[in-house]
Amino acid sequence: MRYGTFVSTYKIQRSKLSYNLLTPKPDPNNKKSLRPERINASLRDVYALLAPYIGVRIKDQLQAVVPLALYLGLFQVFVLDYPIQEATVLCLGLVAVIIGLAVFMEGLNSGLMPFGNIIGTNLPAKAAMPVVLVVLGMLGVGVTFAEPAIGALQAFGSSIDVMKAPYLFELLNNWTLPLVLMVGAGVGFAAILGTVRFIYGWSLKPLIYVSVIPLGLLSTFFWLTPDLRSILGLAWDCGAVTTGPVTVPLVLAIGIGIANSAGKGNSSLSGFGVVTLASLFPIMAVLLLTLFVYSQITPDQIIGNAAAVKDAVSSQVSVWEQTPLVEIILGVRAIVPLVLFLGFVLFVVLRSKLTNTLVTVYGLSLCVIGMCIFNIGLTYGLGAMGTQTGEGLPGAFIQTSLVASSPIFSNLVGIIVVILFAFVLGFGATLAEPALNALGLTVQKLTNGAFKKEMLMYSVAIGVAVGISLGVAKLVLDLDLATLLLPLYVTGLTLTALSSEEFVNVAWDSAGVTTGPVTVPLVLAMGLGLGKAVSATEGFGILSLASICPIIAVLTMGLLIKIQQKSKSPA
Amino acid sequence: MADRHIIYLTNVKMITCVLQNGLGEDVLEAAKNAGAQGATISYAQGTGIRDRMGLLGVTIDEQKEVLRLIVSDDQADRVFEAIYLAGRLDTPGKGIMYVSNLENVATHIPQGVLDAVSE
């Protein structure tokens, strides 16, 4: 028996108190006196309320960040024998990530989500369907800006070598705003199409074919054009970046609200599909934007401009471009437009009110503050950590200046070690993702237990692990992304044609769900660091492979279950 | 047709416990250790205290878990206390619980249990 239990058992004192003494008595002089008064909490009560409130939220993020960071750090120190650089800054950065995410997620739940829910339920009743869809599309742009991981794309832009990939450099340095806008437009279009799909109950399969086949053709064109080939990695990675903790719940809340009011929201599958489309259309949008840039400017001009800018920048860096101001500006810029837009829809279009203004304002402030802290952590924590490990990884198989005892292993063994490292990283990071657990539960319910939660989680995790390993292998062995992606997507499409609607929905959504705000920056930074160290053209593409592989894994698992059930049923 | 027989259980109480979302599991475990057979769990929205606390109200989750446990007279106090302690209801914002008397409870009672009682 625990001593604590013993003590508390014997310390209970029982006494009685009449509730009559606590309730207000009618006062003939004051009509309002019966209404319960505002509570003034004592300092002790405030502590008792705040401690678990903060504790639970920090704990959630600790669980997401610490195991990953430990794994990376231990691998770097003990396997690569490459001491962690600037360990203090790195730790502070990770602390910033944890606190930033905790604050941001709480802000999302108490600030942004009420907006989404109110708009979702009220908008369809008060506005015509085209207006509703336009609002939804614009929302797609807003949520993309607010997505924490999108900052990672912008943050790593400067690491691109302009000589090797001029268009990639141009896009990530001078076209960041149009880039994010186009990605947002892709998400917005996906939100519209996904909602229309809810309303009319369309099957997801044809939508997948219609989106993936042009994507494949366009990508083939890019692949055949030498100047554009380096863009493919970025474009396909964008799909994974966009479907994060802001986009998915907000778009779903509004989409499902609309579908419900149209009377078609009851299907067990409503809610699925938006994530899939939101991870496909941005790819298309980025490719189209690149085509536009391609028609505007030649590689030589870009290289010329970059050289000119470099000279200008090195002379002066303004205060606004230094930490922490730049992160704060980025954070404010990410959230405020979305809030203004949601506010406009709610107050001007709907002429509605918020149920609890104080709490909403509090939540929105938390969003902004959290985003700013997270941005700082992104640069100094996750980004730095991923870059370091990425740069150190080649030390396992080739001679590098960073790792003293490199090459640690012979060429082949070293590459296997690196790929194994990537596999475990992908597997662990995916299993730790809370969104996957939720998806697993939904799927288990949908399929009446035929598809167990654990089965989904493990097949997605193995898929991501294989994807990240492939991505790392691509960088290390200098494979071509398109020659990996295209066959995988062909396989995915073939399996889609063979599978039933439920599994198609689940499988294609599972990819978007798994890439959260911790995994994305870490993997992106690692890819870029690794790419730099092995002097590959660019380090993108890992995430895109980590998106298609789980789709194939889940579809295969679904087909296996189907075959199993068939072989059982005749007997 | 075989004879149908209803056994009316007496001396039954129900403990209802409204808890902040996420606390249910610990409480249920403690209640089971104190002898409760099981519980019916439902999810509900709470209102009241949250709105009267101003900004501090955000620390109290709107989502509530409602546990309903059917216990015998003998068990009632023990389970009640176990829940109170496990749920730490003496700290603010955790939840509320109450006991009510139940009349005429009926359910399937296994023959083995009936035999054991009549001996």
Side-chain angles (χ1 to χ4, degrees), chain A residues 387-509:
Chain A
T387 312
Q388 268 185 36
T389 312
E391 283 169 353
L393 272 181
F397 55 91
I398 48 168
Q399 178 95 39
T400 71
S401 53
L402 288 169
V403 180
S405 52
S406 67
I408 303 168
F409 308 101
S410 69
N411 202 326
L412 186 67
V413 178
I415 290 177
I416 291 173
V417 166
V418 168
I419 290 176
L420 266 181
F421 162 78
F423 188 88
V424 175
L425 174 72
F427 194 76
T430 311
L431 279 187
E433 202 67 56
L436 184 61
N437 203 357
L439 183 75
L441 279 176
T442 317
V443 170
Q444 192 171 329
K445 269 189 222 153
L446 270 179
T447 56
N448 293 325
F451 209 129
K452 294 263 168 9
K453 189 183 98 184
E454 286 75 23
M455 258 155 66
L456 179 90
M457 289 180 67
Y458 282 111
S459 42
V460 172
I462 288 174
V464 174
V466 170
I468 292 186
S469 311
L470 268 180
V472 168
K474 172 227 159 201
L475 289 174
V476 171
L477 305 173
D478 203 15
L479 302 174
D480 190 70
L481 180 63
T483 46
L484 285 172
L485 268 184
L486 288 177
L488 284 174
Y489 267 91
V490 170
T491 317
L493 286 182
T494 319
L495 288 173
T496 303
L498 294 172
S499 300
S500 62
E501 183 70 20
E502 288 93 358
F503 283 121
V504 171
N505 276 282
V506 173
W508 283 81
D509 268 20

Side-chain angles (χ1 to χ4, degrees), chain A residues 183-516:
Chain A
V183 171
V187 173
F189 192 63
I192 294 176
L193 205 60
T195 305
V196 173
R197 180 182 104 85
F198 293 160
I199 297 172
Y200 294 105
W202 291 344
S203 158
L204 185 63
K205 283 186 190 183
L207 288 181
I208 292 178
Y209 303 142
V210 171
S211 358
V212 172
I213 290 170
L215 261 181
L217 293 178
L218 202 58
S219 299
T220 316
F221 168 72
F222 270 61
W223 182 53
L224 295 173
T225 318
D227 283 337
L228 295 179
R229 198 179 284 184
S230 58
I231 289 290
L232 283 176
L234 168 74
W236 285 83
D237 275 6
C238 277
V241 174
T242 50
T243 45
V246 184
T247 312
V248 177
L250 255 185
V251 169
L252 276 187
I254 297 187
I256 290 176
I258 293 170
N260 273 333
S261 66
K264 294 281 176 65
N266 302 328
S267 150
S268 57
L269 286 175
S270 66
F272 281 100
V274 173
V275 175
T276 306
L277 298 175
S279 50
L280 287 176
F281 286 131
I283 305 174
M284 182 63 97
V286 173
L287 291 180
L288 291 177
L289 178 71
T290 314
L291 272 187
F292 177 73
V293 176
Y294 182 60
S295 68
Q296 294 288 312
I297 193 165
T298 67
D300 294 335
Q301 278 175 316
I302 298 173
I303 295 171
N305 289 347
V309 169
K310 210 173 184 180
D311 293 340
V313 164
S314 55
S315 56
Q316 53 168 8
V317 178
S318 79
V319 193
W320 297 101
E321 285 163 18
Q322 282 172 352
T323 305
L325 274 178
V326 62
E327 278 88 1
I328 291 174
I329 292 173
L330 278 177
V332 172
R333 219 196 273 164
I335 307 289
V336 171
L338 175 64
V339 172
L340 287 180
F341 174 69
L342 286 174
F344 174 79
V345 172
L346 191 67
F347 300 123
V348 181
V349 179
L350 288 179
R351 286 192 214 94
S352 177
K353 280 190 302 187
L354 285 168
T355 42
N356 194 338
T357 319
L358 191 64
V359 171
T360 310
V361 170
Y362 159 81
L364 293 179
S365 334
L366 280 192
C367 271
V368 176
I369 297 169
M371 189 63 141
C372 294
I373 302 177
F374 177 74
N375 273 335
I376 295 176
L378 191 65
T379 319
Y380 293 96
L382 290 178
M385 175 127 224
T387 312
Q388 268 185 36
T389 312
E391 283 169 353
L393 272 181
F397 55 91
I398 48 168
Q399 178 95 39
T400 71
S401 53
L402 288 169
V403 180
S405 52
S406 67
I408 303 168
F409 308 101
S410 69
N411 202 326
L412 186 67
V413 178
I415 290 177
I416 291 173
V417 166
V418 168
I419 290 176
L420 266 181
F421 162 78
F423 188 88
V424 175
L425 174 72
F427 194 76
T430 311
L431 279 187
E433 202 67 56
L436 184 61
N437 203 357
L439 183 75
L441 279 176
T442 317
V443 170
Q444 192 171 329
K445 269 189 222 153
L446 270 179
T447 56
N448 293 325
F451 209 129
K452 294 263 168 9
K453 189 183 98 184
E454 286 75 23
M455 258 155 66
L456 179 90
M457 289 180 67
Y458 282 111
S459 42
V460 172
I462 288 174
V464 174
V466 170
I468 292 186
S469 311
L470 268 180
V472 168
K474 172 227 159 201
L475 289 174
V476 171
L477 305 173
D478 203 15
L479 302 174
D480 190 70
L481 180 63
T483 46
L484 285 172
L485 268 184
L486 288 177
L488 284 174
Y489 267 91
V490 170
T491 317
L493 286 182
T494 319
L495 288 173
T496 303
L498 294 172
S499 300
S500 62
E501 183 70 20
E502 288 93 358
F503 283 121
V504 171
N505 276 282
V506 173
W508 283 81
D509 268 20
S510 63
V513 167
T514 50
T515 42

Side-chain angles (χ1 to χ4, degrees), chain B residues 73-116:
Chain B
D73 264 356
D74 295 346
Q75 291 179 310
D77 284 341
R78 196 170 53 222
V79 175
F80 195 75
E81 272 164 21
I83 292 178
Y84 186 87
L85 296 175
R88 287 196 257 161
L89 296 189
D90 47 355
T91 39
K94 296 285 182 187
I96 190 169
M97 63 193 295
Y98 47 88
V99 183
S100 24
N101 284 315
L102 298 180
E103 299 177 48
N104 299 349
V105 174
T107 180
H108 165 72
I109 301 166
Q111 194 57 47
V113 175
L114 286 177
D115 294 345

